[in-house]
Amino acid sequence: MCGIIGCVGRGDETLDTLVHGLSKLEYRGYDSAGVAMASGGVDLCKTAGKIEDLRDALSSVSLSGSVGIGHTRWSTHGPPTNANAHPHQDCTGDVAVVHNGIIENYQSLRDELVSAGHTFTSDTDTEVVPHLIEDELADGTAPEAAVRSAISRLEGSYAIAAVIAGTEAVFAARHDSPLVLGLTEGATFLASDVPAFRDFTDQVIYLDDGEFARLDADGWAVSTLDGSPVEKEVNVVEWDPEETGKSGYDHYMLKEIHEQPRALRQCLRGRVDEMAGTVDIEDLGDLSPTGVQFVACGTSYHAALYGAQLFREAGIPAQAFLASEYATAVPPIGDALVVGVTQSGETADTLSALREARKRGARTMAVTNVVGSTAARECDHAFYIRAGPEIGVAASKTFSTQLAALNLLMLGMTNEEGAREVIAALRELPGNVQRILDESNAEAVAETYRDADSYFFIGRGYQFPVALEGALKMKEITYKHAEGFASGELKHGPLALVTENTPVFAVVTGDGEQARKTVGNVKEVEARDAPVVAITDGQSDVGRYADHVLELPETHPRAAAVLANTHLQLLSYHTAALLGRNIDKPRNLAKSVTVE
């Protein structure tokens, strides 16, 4: 959530570069935006609303310079207003600051500053920072030292960038909130995520917690907060900037749903040997845990539930925990491997859970999409899902590749019987997903039930996490009430909510006991006049009791979960499109949740 952009060295193009960078960060979620330029003084422009509103506001003001910062804000302290938008200034107007995160001791700092005569104009926690810098400057402290001193007084999480009148530099620091530098000849960039400057460079440096950066005409320097120099590795971003465009699709989400075959191929490439029936996961070392604990949030938590079942069936005790609960009441760890599943690698709750696990001596692993992310750097091991950049707020291709990656992880760590059959099904996944994308009648089903009161999703075994994810997608982008259940739980309360205007989406694969029991649950809702949509491979007779069928190719049950999910993604997408929702930027949501 929230986005930061900073730029030094683009001359007259700096302002346009900042606004362009903010537009590339829109996917993170925001409700206001602003920019500040520093030369002899500091000039800024900010507004509640969207980037388009900021552009309109900029058309009536004059901002110039070759040093600047920008921000998209997602409200935490105070509503989305012009006054609460970033950047924030001090009393003199000579300092401007942007900030992601939460300053936990802001109230005591604010009380101290107000007592000293400072005037505040916003409700935000961020505004204490420019005033702290102002006090340091007033005491004769040099600009860089003033910023360092102010930041040293903060408690909580932050990614901060500041500019000061008369100083052609951007100062920045991070703690529990991501910042990355982008390097080109003659210009340097700073952002909360690579897409903000990827059109200009593929050379990046990831800042770690407790590090401070100075960007100026001479380039960049990174040090600890107390000033000790830090050697940093320059990384190369491997994806092309065109991957973050819509490529002719109406929405990023639809594009990313259709990118799933390619994403799955990337996830599998070089990791499976179908002839030998083996999986080779590079650089994992000797991993033979007595148990596995998954920690995750949202969509990634659904993937974690799926992954925990994989390991249990392979004979390794495994549990999935909501990271927000784990971080505050961590269960006994023993010799368990703690695996954080996080698309961005920056999810605050998941990072907190992983850090707590490490404090207790556990080995940790990040299953993530982002090379160089905080989770990838801090964990003992990192396993990349290789989905490529995902811009739509609602996860799609990253969930599918998480499921595939967790299969690979389990197979690479165990000697499970039947591995050859699973590997063959994984190799067929890209083609089978493409088949569903080409043939799915999900749009017609969406048209039929667009005006439903609510939506229920049910499944057993591997299909239970898929039911949860199907419901979450429906909630996220249609704003309709939707719930996912383990099929057998319907009769333990939720059945009271079933009506003729409550479609039930039942994921049923195979013809074993789980399928037969789910068919029984379908009969229960059918007897109460609820419409039924079966997502099935046709091996059971659930189609007899369904009003509509979304067909799946026959495959291994583990792979069938990915295929069923594809239908449900399309169902949610088309329902949202029919309802006219803002699909790529659902209200109140952010792509990367970097506060707890």
Side-chain angles (χ1 to χ4, degrees), residues 218-411:
D218 295 325
W220 57 275
V222 176
S223 57
T224 61
L225 194 56
D226 62 9
S228 301
V230 176
E231 294 291 328
K232 299 297 290 185
E233 178 184 359
V234 178
N235 296 272
V236 178
V237 177
E238 296 184 355
W239 48 267
D240 191 279
E242 291 185 4
E243 291 187 56
T244 61
K246 291 184 183 176
S247 303
Y249 288 92
D250 290 337
H251 299 93
Y252 283 112
M253 184 180 180
L254 185 61
K255 170 185 177 254
E256 287 156 5
I257 289 172
H258 280 265
E259 285 179 338
Q260 288 178 125
R262 183 177 68 175
L264 288 163
R265 290 188 185 97
Q266 290 172 172
C267 180
L268 299 173
R269 185 172 298 126
R271 292 170 164 172
V272 296
D273 185 335
E274 190 171 355
M275 294 296 293
T278 59
V279 169
D280 179 21
I281 302 177
E282 68 281 1
D283 197 30
L284 276 189
D286 181 21
L287 284 176
S288 301
T290 58
V292 178
Q293 293 181 351
F294 290 94
V295 292
C297 306
T299 287
S300 294
Y301 174 67
H302 301 156
L305 288 170
Y306 172 95
Q309 183 172 345
L310 290 177
F311 277 87
R312 287 195 298 270
E313 291 194 353
I316 296 178
Q319 298 167 284
F321 296 91
L322 289 166
S324 56
E325 293 293 312
Y326 189 98
T328 55
V330 63
I333 292 172
D335 190 36
L337 173 71
V338 179
V339 178
V341 185
T342 162
Q343 185 280 134
S344 66
E346 305 293 349
T347 308
D349 287 319
T350 305
L351 290 174
S352 293
L354 289 166
R355 288 164 182 161
E356 183 61 34
R358 291 201 75 181
K359 285 180 185 177
R360 297 193 174 207
R363 290 174 295 168
T364 57
M365 173 183 289
V367 175
T368 184
N369 193 38
V370 182
V371 177
S373 61
T374 301
R377 297 196 309 275
E378 290 189 1
C379 286
D380 299 306
H381 306 276
F383 187 49
Y384 296 107
I385 66 173
R386 301 178 181 170
E390 184 176 70
I391 304 302
V393 167
S396 54
K397 65 178 180 177
T398 53
F399 180 66
S400 297
T401 46
Q402 282 172 341
L403 300 191
L406 290 171
N407 271 285
L408 296 178
L409 184 62
M410 183 277 294
L411 292 168

Side-chain angles (χ1 to χ4, degrees), residues 117-142:
H118 290 264
T119 300
F120 283 74
T121 60
S122 79
D123 304 312
T124 69
D125 55 337
T126 302
E127 196 180 355
V128 300
V129 183
H131 290 284
L132 290 171
I133 296 171
E134 176 189 1
D135 270 0
E136 293 289 337
L137 294 172
D139 289 341
T141 307

Side-chain angles (χ1 to χ4, degrees), residues 344-518:
S344 66
E346 305 293 349
T347 308
D349 287 319
T350 305
L351 290 174
S352 293
L354 289 166
R355 288 164 182 161
E356 183 61 34
R358 291 201 75 181
K359 285 180 185 177
R360 297 193 174 207
R363 290 174 295 168
T364 57
M365 173 183 289
V367 175
T368 184
N369 193 38
V370 182
V371 177
S373 61
T374 301
R377 297 196 309 275
E378 290 189 1
C379 286
D380 299 306
H381 306 276
F383 187 49
Y384 296 107
I385 66 173
R386 301 178 181 170
E390 184 176 70
I391 304 302
V393 167
S396 54
K397 65 178 180 177
T398 53
F399 180 66
S400 297
T401 46
Q402 282 172 341
L403 300 191
L406 290 171
N407 271 285
L408 296 178
L409 184 62
M410 183 277 294
L411 292 168
M413 290 171 56
T414 69
N415 296 313
E416 188 192 35
E417 294 183 9
R420 193 182 299 272
E421 182 183 352
V422 177
I423 290 171
L426 292 174
R427 291 293 297 268
E428 292 172 354
L429 256 182
N432 281 336
V433 170
Q434 187 62 57
R435 177 176 163 185
I436 289 174
L437 294 172
D438 293 340
E439 300 175 2
S440 177
N441 57 326
E443 185 172 6
V445 174
E447 177 68 55
T448 301
Y449 299 113
R450 59 182 290 182
D451 296 320
D453 293 334
S454 60
Y455 304 82
F456 283 1
F457 296 78
I458 62 173
R460 290 177 185 264
Y462 292 116
Q463 311 309 335
F464 169 47
V466 171
L468 294 177
E469 177 62 13
L472 179 61
K473 283 294 155 288
M474 187 67 77
K475 283 184 276 198
E476 285 179 314
I477 64 171
T478 72
Y479 313 154
K480 290 273 201 168
H481 176 256
E483 294 295 336
F485 303 100
S487 300
E489 288 300 298
L490 262 182
K491 57 184 174 291
H492 295 289
L495 202 57
L497 301 176
V498 170
T499 71
E500 62 186 12
N501 203 30
T502 309
V504 176
F505 296 85
V507 186
V508 187
T509 59
D511 60 355
E513 183 179 6
Q514 289 184 341
R516 292 193 295 274
K517 287 183 178 294
T518 304

